[in-house]
Amino acid sequence: ETEEKTGIIEKVVKEKMDVSQGKLVIGLDVLENDKNATSVYNAILGGGANSKLFQNVREKASLAYSAGSMFIKQKRNIIVRSGIENYDKALEIIKKQIEDMKQGEFSDKDIQNAKELIIASIKSMQDEQDSEISYCFGRELMRENIDTEEDIRNIEQVTKEQIVKIAKSVQINTIYFLTNQ
């Protein structure tokens, strides 16, 4: 079952270790319970090469070797992760992307790219048994008795308004930075 999320307090944790590049991980709680819209939100935020994180943190600012996010459906969490050199600047840009999403600052093309990424991922699971088993097992855990075709239809129907509603419910719970300094 998903847990109810209330009274979220942002924590900052910094640790030192002999690493070649700093690791910045940001935990986000999603207060709304719409897994399809959250999946699309996550894909726009950090799901691939077209995502806001990849484009703004890695490509435009050249602050990260990698920048992306993943949605953990069972916990209603999104984990933003990046390998960075400049903590303050990277954190500032990541937070701006999260805020921009709340303001609806993403295009119809961003939504379309995100949906295509998710749908391609769903369809590709049929090519690998262990991926399909994991997918089905996850559905069983969530007590969602739907097949991949219905899952695809649900993703296709997500609207910008639903994504903005998700974005407005997203809150940072933890900022973790592993550095060698």
Side-chain angles (χ1 to χ4, degrees):
E1 292 183 35
T2 57
E3 60 189 50
E4 197 59 37
K5 299 182 183 275
T6 58
I8 298 165
I9 299 170
E10 183 178 308
K11 296 181 286 194
V12 177
V13 178
K14 293 183 180 181
E15 292 184 332
K16 291 175 80 172
M17 184 183 281
D18 186 20
V19 292
S20 59
Q21 185 179 56
K23 311 295 185 219
L24 177 59
V25 179
I26 302 173
L28 307 172
D29 283 321
V30 182
L31 303 181
E32 286 292 325
N33 193 12
D34 182 340
K35 291 174 189 66
N36 297 310
T38 305
S39 291
V40 177
Y41 167 91
N42 177 65
I44 294 169
L45 179 66
N50 291 321
S51 71
K52 293 175 79 55
L53 293 175
F54 191 89
Q55 288 299 312
N56 291 291
V57 179
R58 184 181 188 278
E59 295 297 306
K60 290 180 185 170
S62 298
L63 290 173
Y65 176 74
S66 62
S69 64
M70 67 179 178
F71 174 37
I72 303 170
K73 292 178 183 179
Q74 294 83 353
K75 298 293 287 176
R76 287 193 355 236
N77 291 114
I78 293 174
I79 307 297
V80 173
R81 64 213 184 289
S82 59
I84 61 165
E85 296 297 328
N86 183 328
Y87 171 82
D88 292 324
K89 188 67 174 161
L91 183 59
E92 175 188 329
I93 293 172
I94 292 168
K95 283 185 170 183
K96 180 169 183 355
Q97 303 320 300
I98 294 167
E99 187 58 36
D100 285 354
M101 294 288 292
K102 291 180 184 201
Q103 303 305 316
E105 293 181 23
F106 52 92
S107 68
D108 290 341
K109 182 69 174 161
D110 293 330
I111 296 169
Q112 190 59 40
N113 288 339
K115 288 179 179 182
E116 287 172 5
L117 178 73
I118 295 165
I119 291 167
S121 175
I122 292 168
K123 288 180 177 180
S124 73
M125 284 186 297
Q126 298 167 353
D127 297 335
E128 296 183 30
Q129 286 180 339
D130 53 342
S131 295
E132 193 168 11
I133 289 168
S134 293
Y135 173 83
C136 292
F137 182 65
R139 289 291 183 199
E140 183 72 25
L141 286 176
M142 298 298 292
R143 294 186 174 97
E144 294 175 343
N145 190 18
I146 64 173
D147 61 19
T148 56
E149 293 305 314
E150 186 176 349
D151 204 8
I152 289 169
R153 282 192 302 276
N154 290 340
I155 292 298
E156 288 172 337
Q157 293 172 3
V158 171
T159 65
K160 183 168 186 168
E161 292 75 25
Q162 289 173 290
I163 299 165
V164 170
K165 185 175 181 182
I166 292 300
K168 289 181 177 180
S169 83
V170 168
Q171 294 183 7
I172 295 174
N173 63 38
T174 305
I175 299 169
Y176 175 82
F177 184 50
L178 179 65
T179 182
N180 62 2
Q181 299 175 7

